Amino acid sequence: MAAPMLQGLAEVLGASEPALRLIISILIGYPLALIFRYCLFQKDPFVIHLFHIVTGLCMAYFNFGVQLYHSLLCVVIQFLSLRLMGRTITAVCSSFIFQMAYLLLGYCYTATEHYDIKWTMPHCVLTLKLIGLAFDYYDGGKDPEQLSAEQRQSILPQVPSFVEVCGFSYFYGGFLVGPQFTMRSYQRLVAGELTDCPGQTPNSILPAVKRVCLGLLCLSIYTLGSPFFPDSYFLSDDFEAQAFWYRCFYILVWGKVTLYKYVSCWVITEGVCILSGLGYNGRDSRGVVQWDACANMKVWQFETTPLFTGTIASFNINTNAWVARHVFKRLKFLGNKMASQSAALFFLAIWHGLHSGYLLCFLMEFIIVTAERQAMSLVRDSPVLTQISQSPVLWLPLYLLQQLIHWLFMGYPLIPFCLFTWDKWFKVYSSVYFCGHVFFFTAMLIMPYLRRALVPRKKEKEKKEE
């Protein structure tokens, strides 16, 4: 009975049934968070864990049916790994290898040429959670002096119980689309410690309402805009027949609209975490309560920054922070920042999937960010360029030009990310003459010559000595 109704509603809304199920599941998090606030806050931890397990499993079954056994199997094996192997590097390595191998095999067996909402979607979120759990338990056995402040906040002094691991894994505010959070944060939530009013439920209703409203606005923009800018248009004869400027303009607007799909889900889910209290992040220097512990998006920065690095810093924040903490920083022994960054981006690419488009997307991100950093360094070191960039008269034209380049080439690497296979993204890139590759490779080639011409020798010498 429910399936035909959902299918009919999906057709009316112009969405797929799996997408509708996903949005319903995310929104159901709000009444579940209210139940937790008013019925379970500071109650028996076992009951709270059970509530999170049952609701999470119901969500999994509603979206993926009996395929929920994939997540359950990985959770059980991760718990057994912690119990049987203890705080050893063997436990960390085996957890990393098993969880990633299971995810990648899932991608192999379920891969299609289109983006499908299937069990691998929440499983990639779960994979990071369980690997992070192994790292945090391992760090708990180290001397605190050897750990960073970030690591000291998330270490586990003892192995969590089975119901804790299950509750942490299936928590309704993070099971489907994230965000990433640590077991320690989850334990503090269950203990009733994540509140701005000790002993009372957090005053987080208004911040949560603001996030859900913003998330629904982003979802509306995507719902209304995506029919006019579908991925399939890239592969049509009509797209190839358009003028070059129109093809570039389509990439710009399409990229902006497409990103709202992710923004909306993350912002709505963040509201669930805030309402439950998981989003509590203490107070700032002025004593103002912060609710951004589970923020996966800085929407204002995302909309206004003219920099690629600014957009990356505002997008999928918790996942990027997880990769920085557990991959990039732990590769410090390589002694090469570029090598660590390359490995982290490669990990992100295969974590998303095994299509060539993911690898190309993150390779382009690496090239774009490298070129932008070189350009910013040049402007900073050149007195002439610094003066031009700080001119009040030229500020607005320069900002608009930056935004034009920024959003055109934000959509550019998103093409292989969304089209997946090389024959599709190669066709689209060919139709725009690989303009993004040409632009950034040319910029990187001429930057050293511009530096010689525009940066005083004395300043260049000082920079090399530093």
Side-chain angles (χ1 to χ4, degrees), residues 378-389:
L378 175 62
V379 172
R380 187 171 57 249
D381 295 340
S382 168
V384 175
L385 295 180
T386 299
Q387 188 175 5
I388 292 172
S389 66

Side-chain angles (χ1 to χ4, degrees), residues 393-425:
V393 178
L394 296 175
W395 179 84
L396 183 59
L398 287 173
Y399 176 79
L400 294 176
L401 177 62
Q402 274 186 288
Q403 282 286 24
L404 178 64
I405 295 171
H406 170 223
W407 280 113
L408 170 60
F409 293 118
M410 274 305 299
Y412 188 83
L414 200 61
I415 291 169
F417 188 91
C418 293
L419 297 184
F420 298 152
T421 57
W422 75 270
D423 56 318
K424 293 180 180 179
W425 57 256

